[in-house]
Amino acid sequence: MTTALPDLWIDWCSVIGVPAREINQAVLSRFARQAQPSRAVLAELRRLLAPGDPVAPAWPRGHREDTGSLQLLIRRGTTIIQHPGTHWVFRLRLRRMLFTAVLLAPRSHGGLGLDRAGALGLRPDGMNRVRGQIGVTPEPDACPACATWSWLDVIGTNSGWSHGSVRALGHRRDEVGSAHRHLRPDPNPDWHLCVGMLPAVDRWGWIDAYRSMHPSSLSAVISAAALLLDGPEPAPGPRPAAAAMQASPRRQMSHEEEEQILKRADELTARVEAILREFDTGR
């Protein structure tokens, strides 16, 4: 039986001149950029892209069948990264966590499906070979390719510049808008000189330039990612002034309800930060 393809995909392929049945990651990424499809359409195409998708053994078991889980994790992690109150070292660790998720998530999710040894052993030449296989989404704040770009910026800065430059990058948040970071040239191509792609980040923000993190530290990063996936939405940053906000027809949340939701979200963020801080010792 032939599987039905989404109408938007068929129409786009006919305009571009691409065979609709020949789905590959490069064409799918182009489709995501140009056609702005829904998450459901992208998920369906990714399932067709990799019907024999490896299990991705390091990805949280409860989310292996959820093709939107990688995007959800990146979006939630980005919310914390964008919060002005996030400590700069925690922000660096979050960027590394999102990059780790891209390495470990199933290919049908937009990741690479690596196991733990494959992620820890990945070198710049290997990253160059597989980078084009990383998924792209219409939303920059949930885009695996953009999360990858941001972490490569960090380790490239660490390799070629001073610790002060790394600290400045840790304080920086992503620009708000519709532009995808991964479409820009790499700002710090010195990441090609790194020994590994997943170094430790100590409590002062020093990044180990000579070896990958310990396997136990990688397990902690995976645990933190699973916690972020299973928990409530992280607390967003300060909202615009009330006068600048559009009126909403929905039920207005009481101050007590809002405080309770934000408290739970803050508790989740604190738990994620504690996990990454406690086990991120390198060796």
Side-chain angles (χ1 to χ4, degrees):
M1 183 175 67
T2 302
T3 303
L5 294 170
D7 291 339
L8 179 62
W9 168 258
I10 294 174
D11 293 342
W12 180 83
C13 288
S14 65
V15 171
I16 300 300
V18 174
R21 291 284 169 185
E22 296 182 11
I23 305 173
N24 59 63
Q25 186 60 60
V27 175
L28 193 57
S29 296
R30 184 182 174 191
F31 169 69
R33 291 194 305 270
Q34 295 181 349
Q36 301 288 297
S38 68
R39 294 182 182 180
V41 168
L42 280 176
E44 177 60 27
L45 290 170
R46 287 201 177 101
R47 281 192 289 270
L48 297 174
L49 167 66
D53 198 17
V55 175
W59 191 244
R61 185 180 300 274
H63 296 277
R64 289 176 187 168
E65 300 303 319
D66 178 9
T67 57
S69 60
L70 176 60
Q71 296 177 44
L72 175 64
L73 177 65
I74 294 174
R75 182 173 55 78
R76 289 185 169 186
T78 299
T79 297
I80 304 174
I81 287 170
Q82 293 295 85
H83 196 292
T86 298
H87 191 274
W88 69 273
V89 177
F90 185 31
R91 190 173 282 126
L92 292 179
R93 287 173 171 157
L94 283 168
R95 292 200 186 280
R96 186 191 55 186
M97 183 185 74
L98 298 185
F99 173 73
T100 302
V102 172
L103 300 185
L104 302 180
R107 294 173 188 166
S108 57
H109 295 38
L112 295 175
L114 301 180
D115 59 16
R116 295 168 188 252
L120 290 172
L122 187 64
R123 300 293 181 261
D125 57 341
M127 187 68 221
N128 271 327
R129 288 195 298 271
V130 300
R131 192 174 179 183
Q133 301 172 24
I134 294 172
V136 174
T137 64
E139 306 86 1
D141 65 350
C143 180
C146 287
T148 298
W149 185 96
S150 289
W151 178 244
L152 296 181
D153 187 12
V154 171
I155 59 174
T157 299
N158 185 66
S159 177
W161 298 84
S162 66
H163 181 58
S165 298
V166 174
R167 183 185 180 105
L169 188 56
H171 280 284
R172 188 185 309 163
R173 290 174 283 165
D174 299 327
E175 296 176 8
V176 178
S178 59
H180 279 262
R181 284 159 282 155
H182 75 268
L183 297 177
R184 311 172 192 166
D186 288 342
N188 286 293
D190 284 339
W191 69 264
H192 292 90
L193 305 176
C194 294
V195 173
M197 308 305 296
L198 292 177
V201 182
D202 74 12
R203 60 187 297 185
W204 297 281
W206 289 94
I207 300 175
D208 193 333
Y210 302 104
R211 57 190 177 187
S212 296
M213 72 171 79
H214 192 272
S216 63
S217 296
L218 177 58
S219 295
V221 172
I222 295 171
S223 296
L227 182 63
L228 195 55
L229 276 171
D230 294 332
E233 288 286 336
R239 288 183 285 178
M245 297 180 65
Q246 296 292 327
S248 173
R250 295 176 296 178
R251 181 183 72 85
Q252 293 298 311
M253 185 181 300
S254 70
H255 178 71
E256 290 75 16
E257 289 175 310
E258 183 176 8
E259 286 294 321
Q260 185 176 11
I261 291 172
L262 292 177
K263 181 180 178 181
R264 290 181 59 215
D266 286 339
E267 289 172 352
L268 170 68
T269 300
R271 290 175 64 191
V272 171
E273 182 175 10
I275 291 173
L276 295 178
R277 181 177 61 248
E278 180 179 358
F279 293 94
D280 205 352
T281 56
R283 291 289 175 187

